Amino acid sequence: MADRRIWWERLAAHKQRLDGVRTTDIFASEPDRMVQLSEVVGDTCFDFSKHKIDQSALKALLAFAADTGLQHRIDELFAGAVVNPSERRPALHAALRAAEQRQVGATDVPAFEAARQSATQTLEQCRQLVDTLRRQFGDDGFDVVHVGIGGSELGPKLCLEALTHPRSTDPVRVHYVGNVDAHPVDHLLATLDPHRTVVCLVSKSFGTQETLTNGAILRRWLEASLGPELAATRLVAITANPARAIRYGIGASQVLPIWDWVGGRYSVWSAVSLSTMLALGYERFAEFLAGAEAMDLHFRMAPFVRNVPVLMALVGVWSRNVLGLPGHCVVPYDERLRHLPAFLQQLEMESNGKSVAADGSQIGHATVPIIWGGVGSATQHAFFQALHQGELANVVEFIGAVTPAHDHDASHKALMANMLAQSSALLHGRQTDDADPALRAQRECPGDRPSTTILLPELSPFTLGLLLAAYEHKVFVQSVLWGNNAFDQWGVELGKQLADELLPLIDGGAIPDTVDASTRLLIGRVRGL
Ligand code: F6P
């Protein structure tokens, strides 16, 4: 592979060539632009045409991708090779959704097939547990407390919020407890009946302080009403560390496995989502898996020039590394996707928020942008001002669903019109004819600001699975283009270690000289108050 600096220079030449051109000019000069820069997968349209990329720049981006050995790296990913060298692990989250063996070329790969079989067996355990619990509690239903954080919370929470029908009267209600701040769990327990509550303790490591602390509160709460034996039947653990869960006091038959070959932020397809299966029913969860598998097939089969995750990744690299845009703003125009920005913050920034390559060398160029966002149309009345007239442009990614799950037609048409208007306004900007040049300058919008629009036919388990899988593969492709390991997260270890060291000091005792003056002062105030 040519040194990436050579590629940054080549791509920068395309940027310079386009500096005097507006994106709208490229639309005019490339009549087949929409064919080249929009793709439909599973009835979902991915429109990249509002980015300032012409055919020549796209060709250069595709050549860069090919030069990184991307195809080989994709093949390695699906073959169960060690794509996470610092932890010496594969990343086989695609095997979690290959239940129907529709993965082309994966059947003859032993590591993939073994992973698929483990996943299929565990999903069957989940299905049986869902069936048992729903029958046990009957039509009055029950409450599920999902205890987990990061990848052990964000994916399941996003799915449940996205797929619960607004008028759902389903008898299973799920509540999430993630933060070690006990205000939410304290408030929640005051509203629940321990006789009708199941607790899912979700932790791949079964060593996360927040989850174990919250788990202890839930277990004490259950035991106070049910006694230890019955309480034990209401505690389910989902973990890659069953021995720790059993030592913690979870019955061996109440432990569902996940595996080291699934990263936490890639685990929504596994038993981590047991609470979602309990609430939505297993069949809808299976549809979610099928949507992801459809995107896996597209990702493996489509040529890069028509490959949605590859195009998402290349457009992102163009924006981040060539245009130097610092932020990527995710704006779902659908309240049901309100947790998507938070989910993508972890998926993208914990995967690619790195500055050292897999071989230990300094990466020396930008990697993941700041991932942020909020729900439209409310965000038009919050931060869109900065997106239209701020000094630093951001890439904006709009996500909408054509068919709503309600019959308020006028509202949905307004929502769609607002989403399309915003991406159009970012593209065109606004020139005014105010006589006063100062006023004119303040009222004008520069435009020429990039956005992607993703239009789902409807928000269903299938389309949500397809969308999230596209993001997972985009993140992997970008890690290849940037040269970092997408699947480890050493940066979070230091904070956890320091928290463990500081915890006893909150109670009292001598503060070691190694503790800096600021932390020392703050500990003093925490103690004093
Ligand atoms: O943020 C670090 C991290 O390890 C994430 O990768 C993970 O999703 C989260 O903490 C929770 O970890 P666990 O599932 O092991 O409790």
Side-chain angles (χ1 to χ4, degrees):
M1 171 191 175
D3 187 308
R4 281 183 179 81
R5 283 169 300 192
I6 294 172
W7 280 108
W8 301 142
E9 286 166 17
R10 287 174 184 166
L11 293 168
H14 285 277
K15 174 189 179 300
Q16 277 120 40
R17 176 175 58 79
L18 291 169
D19 271 347
V21 176
R22 287 185 68 88
T23 308
T24 46
D25 300 332
I26 305 175
F27 270 94
S29 65
E30 294 184 349
D32 63 346
R33 182 170 186 73
M34 293 319 299
V35 173
Q36 300 294 343
L37 280 174
S38 69
E39 285 301 322
V40 177
V41 181
D43 283 338
T44 295
C45 175
F46 296 79
D47 176 11
F48 306 105
S49 64
K50 293 191 176 89
H51 288 265
K52 189 190 278 192
I53 296 176
D54 66 356
Q55 281 311 301
S56 176
L58 181 60
K59 282 191 179 70
L61 286 164
L62 289 162
F64 169 44
D67 194 37
T68 64
L70 178 60
Q71 187 54 62
H72 174 66
R73 299 291 299 281
I74 294 170
D75 294 342
E76 282 188 324
L77 176 72
F78 282 88
V82 174
V83 294
N84 175 0
S86 73
E87 296 178 303
R88 287 186 294 281
R89 291 173 182 169
L92 276 166
H93 39 284
L96 296 172
R97 63 244 188 168
E100 303 300 322
Q101 266 302 300
R102 287 198 296 269
Q103 299 286 14
V104 174
T107 48
D108 58 350
V109 176
F112 188 98
E113 177 54 19
R116 189 197 65 78
Q117 285 183 14
S118 300
T120 303
Q121 284 161 15
T122 304
L123 286 173
E124 177 55 23
Q125 277 182 277
C126 292
R127 193 188 60 74
Q128 288 172 13
L129 187 53
V130 169
D131 191 40
T132 303
L133 286 169
R134 289 181 79 110
R135 262 192 291 105
Q136 177 182 334
F137 287 101
D139 294 343
D140 294 341
F142 57 99
D143 290 279
V144 181
V145 181
H146 177 115
V147 185
I149 197 164
S152 294
E153 176 190 32
L154 291 166
K157 182 189 265 188
L158 164 62
C159 286
L160 189 84
E161 301 291 339
L163 301 177
T164 297
H165 196 283
R167 289 197 293 273
S168 164
T169 55
D170 197 292
V172 180
R173 297 160 295 279
V174 182
H175 315 274
Y176 298 92
V177 171
N179 196 325
V180 74
D181 170 4
H183 288 99
V185 68
D186 190 52
H187 173 79
L188 173 65
L189 294 184
T191 68
L192 297 183
D193 171 1
H195 292 84
R196 307 195 69 80
T197 299
V198 173
V199 176
C200 296
L201 280 181
V202 186
S203 178
K204 179 179 172 186
S205 62
F206 224 82
T208 302
Q209 178 191 46
E210 296 96 328
T211 304
L212 300 183
T213 305
N214 282 317
I217 293 174
L218 269 298
R219 182 166 58 183
R220 282 197 299 272
W221 176 76
L222 282 173
E223 288 177 350
S225 299
L226 308 180
E229 288 71 31
L230 186 54
T233 68
R234 301 290 177 72
L235 277 162
V236 180
I238 294 99
T239 183
N241 212 313
R244 272 195 192 158
I246 292 164
R247 277 200 304 275
Y248 183 79
I250 307 295
S253 63
Q254 303 280 105
V255 179
L256 291 168
I258 50 179
W259 303 272
D260 277 348
W261 41 263
V262 180
R265 52 194 176 271
Y266 297 88
S267 65
V268 69
W269 322 98
S270 71
V272 158
S273 289
L274 177 64
S275 59
T276 307
M277 298 177 211
L278 285 166
L280 298 182
Y282 183 80
E283 287 61 37
R284 296 194 73 204
F285 187 76
E287 287 169 37
F288 173 63
L289 298 179
E293 190 176 23
M295 182 53 75
D296 291 343
L297 284 170
H298 167 80
F299 179 51
R300 302 199 65 185
M301 307 287 284
F304 289 171
V305 69
R306 313 216 67 88
N307 193 305
V308 162
V310 172
L311 291 171
M312 289 172 85
L314 288 174
V315 160
V317 163
W318 173 263
S319 302
R320 184 78 187 96
N321 299 86
V322 183
L323 304 186
L325 303 186
H328 181 95
C329 183
V330 178
V331 187
Y333 268 66
D334 197 313
E335 287 288 342
R336 297 168 294 171
L337 288 175
R338 60 186 172 278
H339 293 298
L340 182 62
F343 172 82
L344 292 178
Q345 280 178 334
Q346 186 199 16
L347 178 64
E348 301 217 25
M349 298 178 82
E350 195 165 84
S351 294
N352 292 335
K354 290 148 193 178
S355 53
V356 173
D359 64 4
S361 63
Q362 285 300 315
I363 276 186
H365 54 250
T367 55
V368 73
I370 303 295
I371 306 289
W372 62 294
V375 180
S377 65
T379 44
Q380 296 170 206
H381 307 272
F383 56 67
F384 265 75
Q385 162 60 38
L387 294 175
H388 288 293
Q389 288 190 326
E391 186 265 338
L392 263 185
N394 278 253
V395 179
V396 183
E397 191 156 79
F398 297 95
I399 302 105
V402 172
T403 305
H406 60 68
D407 47 16
H408 303 287
D409 205 30
S411 302
H412 198 66
K413 284 174 180 166
L415 183 68
M416 290 295 100
N418 272 281
M419 182 176 78
L420 300 183
Q422 287 302 323
S423 70
S424 185
L426 288 166
L427 172 70
H428 293 283
R430 176 177 69 176
Q431 286 67 46
T432 71
D433 54 6
D434 294 284
D436 174 353
L439 178 59
R440 186 167 66 242
Q442 289 173 78
R443 292 189 60 221
E444 291 190 340
C445 295
D448 221 29
R449 297 197 162 186
S451 66
T452 297
T453 298
I454 301 172
L455 207 47
L456 310 173
E458 60 174 346
L459 183 55
S460 68
F462 186 91
T463 59
L464 183 64
L466 184 125
L467 179 68
L468 298 191
Y471 280 118
E472 285 183 344
H473 294 318
K474 164 208 167 177
V475 165
F476 172 69
V477 171
Q478 287 188 325
S479 74
V480 173
L481 300 178
W482 285 325
N484 63 270
N485 176 352
F487 300 113
D488 60 9
Q489 53 283 321
W490 298 108
V492 301
E493 303 299 314
L494 177 59
K496 289 180 180 178
Q497 174 200 325
L498 292 177
D500 289 343
E501 290 170 13
L502 289 177
L503 182 56
L505 301 181
I506 301 292
D507 278 333
I511 300 177
D513 297 340
T514 51
V515 176
D516 63 83
S518 165
T519 305
R520 180 186 295 275
L521 175 136
L522 297 171
I523 288 173
R525 291 193 62 79
V526 168
R527 283 179 178 179
L529 297 175

